[in-house]
Amino acid sequence: MENACTSLNQVARSARLLNIDGFSLTAGMGGDYCLKSIWTVDGYELEVLNYPGTTWVALKLVFLSEARTQWGVRASMACQLVDLSRELEPYHEYGVSETFHHPQDFGALVFMDRNKIPSGYIKDDMLTLRCAIMVLRELPVPTIPAEEVVAPPSTNLHQHLGELLQSEMGADVTFLACDESFAAHRYILAARSPVFKARFFGDMKDKCSARVEIKDMEAAAFSAMLHFIYTDTVPDLDRPLEEVTTMAQHLLVAADMYGLERLKLICEIKLSGGITVDAAATTLALAEQHSCLKLKAKCLEFIVSTPAVLEACWRQMGISTLKKAALWSSPSFSSLPIYSTG
């Protein structure tokens, strides 16, 4: 089995031969005399300064760019004598390594005493240095391609709570509605409904009662309300409006009674979606009683939409001519167009 190899970093390299022609003539020229060369490595610009005019042949690596990261740029320079005729092997290697941040940061390298340079490396009064610069590259931050990102699964909390309601496990209160019993959990009810919170954990009489009788709601509506409290869903309203109008009306009343504002809004939207002559009167009355302003406006808009619809609604409501006149003068109708009913 082959050994796996992982690169933990990457290095950019560049190498050149630096020829100092007339090497003997540079002797004694002092430290101000230098030979310059510009390098570009990994996108950074650097300058190599060669000082051959002192007792020691010295080099300086100068950083001319701005580091791309706050940690700076780690770079090194290595030099050795080489024989262009290849009669001699490269001679010794000297190096310097620095971390650069800003332009003009530098690292100095004292190469060797010019008087100790083997004569074989000086050909026709020319000294050749092989110089190599290495720059440690900044590795990109590993990222996961978008197509490989696994989306988190959708929440299933409502499913777990729905199963808890259905299993009755740990239930500590039982409701009686129209001779049907429903087991539930006080803390869940209290967390969802301010009315249940006051009933079970306030000063109301059912605080310690394990059985609570519901006298103002049908069993089907109470069951649907419990399901909403546990799951935040209302499957009983998923069918067309004409099939669930009565349930939506009952749940609207229940939601307002127990402070379930989201359920109340769901019922209001459902009932607004297709008002009919048969349901208009009852829905209008509920909207008025439970402060559903948008639903009330929808009902009134439907009732006065045409003279025929208006008259049909009057008949459905069993309203006499005298009562019609009284209704027209009420705030609910005063801002609406009046159709002649003959």
Side-chain angles (χ1 to χ4, degrees):
M1 179 179 178
E2 295 184 0
N3 293 327
C5 180
T6 301
S7 295
L8 300 180
N9 54 26
Q10 296 179 2
V11 175
R13 296 178 175 85
S14 181
R16 295 182 187 178
L17 295 178
L18 302 180
N19 296 322
I20 307 174
D21 202 6
F23 179 67
S24 63
L25 299 177
T26 63
M29 295 188 68
D32 293 333
Y33 177 74
C34 69
L35 304 173
K36 302 179 181 180
S37 62
I38 301 296
W39 303 51
T40 300
V41 185
D42 193 31
Y44 290 111
E45 194 172 68
L46 303 103
E47 186 176 42
V48 176
L49 304 181
N50 189 336
Y51 296 87
T54 62
T55 304
W56 292 82
V57 177
L59 295 99
K60 181 188 290 186
L61 179 63
V62 183
F63 190 62
L64 302 181
S65 301
E66 193 74 38
R68 292 189 286 261
T69 69
Q70 60 180 328
W71 300 283
V73 181
R74 190 68 178 173
S76 67
M77 179 175 65
C79 293
Q80 61 183 168
L81 294 175
V82 294
D83 175 18
L84 294 181
S85 66
R86 298 186 181 181
E87 295 175 1
L88 301 174
E89 293 293 326
Y91 181 78
H92 206 61
E93 184 174 271
Y94 300 82
V96 63
S97 180
E98 293 287 345
T99 299
F100 303 106
H101 293 85
H102 309 290
Q104 302 309 314
D105 288 351
F106 68 90
L109 169 63
V110 177
F111 186 64
M112 65 184 305
D113 187 337
R114 64 180 292 140
N115 296 319
K116 294 183 179 180
I117 296 176
S119 60
Y121 289 92
I122 303 175
K123 299 292 181 66
D124 298 326
D125 202 22
M126 182 172 70
L127 180 69
T128 301
L129 303 177
R130 183 183 184 277
C131 189
I133 295 178
M134 294 189 298
V135 172
L136 188 63
R137 287 175 169 169
E138 305 94 351
L139 293 179
V141 177
T143 58
I144 301 176
E147 63 271 12
E148 295 182 12
V149 175
V150 179
S154 58
T155 178
N156 56 1
L157 177 62
H158 63 289
Q159 296 176 356
H160 292 163
L161 292 179
E163 292 170 359
L164 181 66
L165 174 65
Q166 186 175 10
S167 69
E168 302 183 1
M169 182 177 63
D172 55 3
V173 63
T174 300
F175 293 94
L176 298 176
C178 299
D179 297 327
E180 290 190 38
S181 63
F182 302 89
H185 307 78
R186 295 172 189 265
Y187 285 101
I188 293 179
L189 299 176
R192 299 279 282 159
S193 163
V195 176
F196 281 127
K197 182 178 180 180
R199 166 168 276 178
F200 296 129
F201 301 100
D203 297 327
M204 299 178 68
K205 64 180 181 179
D206 292 327
K207 182 176 181 180
C208 299
S209 176
R211 296 175 70 84
V212 178
E213 186 174 357
I214 303 297
K215 299 180 180 180
D216 45 13
M217 195 182 311
E218 294 185 359
F222 186 78
S223 176
M225 185 184 75
L226 271 185
H227 186 87
F228 173 82
I229 288 175
Y230 278 74
T231 68
D232 212 38
T233 62
V234 197
D236 288 353
L237 299 186
D238 289 342
R239 301 191 302 279
L241 178 60
E242 59 270 16
E243 300 178 17
V244 297
T245 297
T246 301
M247 174 60 75
Q249 292 172 342
H250 287 315
L251 281 178
L252 176 65
V253 176
D256 192 43
M257 184 183 304
Y258 287 93
L260 303 171
E261 292 301 322
R262 185 169 184 274
L263 177 59
K264 180 179 176 182
L265 181 59
I266 290 173
C267 295
E268 186 176 359
I269 294 172
K270 187 70 176 181
L271 290 170
S272 298
I275 300 170
T276 63
V277 171
D278 293 339
T282 304
T283 302
L284 176 60
L286 291 176
E288 181 77 32
Q289 293 168 10
H290 300 283
S291 302
C292 300
L293 301 182
K294 292 183 180 179
L295 179 59
K296 176 182 175 181
K298 283 286 186 180
C299 289
L300 293 176
E301 181 183 348
F302 171 78
I303 290 173
V304 299
S305 58
T306 67
V309 171
L310 179 59
E311 187 62 30
C313 289
W314 288 142
R315 288 196 300 270
Q316 182 68 24
M317 292 184 279
I319 297 177
S320 64
T321 302
L322 184 61
K323 287 184 178 180
K324 290 179 188 179
L327 282 172
W328 281 124
S329 63
S330 70
S332 298
F333 287 86
S334 59
S335 61
L336 297 173
I338 299 177
Y339 294 94
S340 173
T341 58

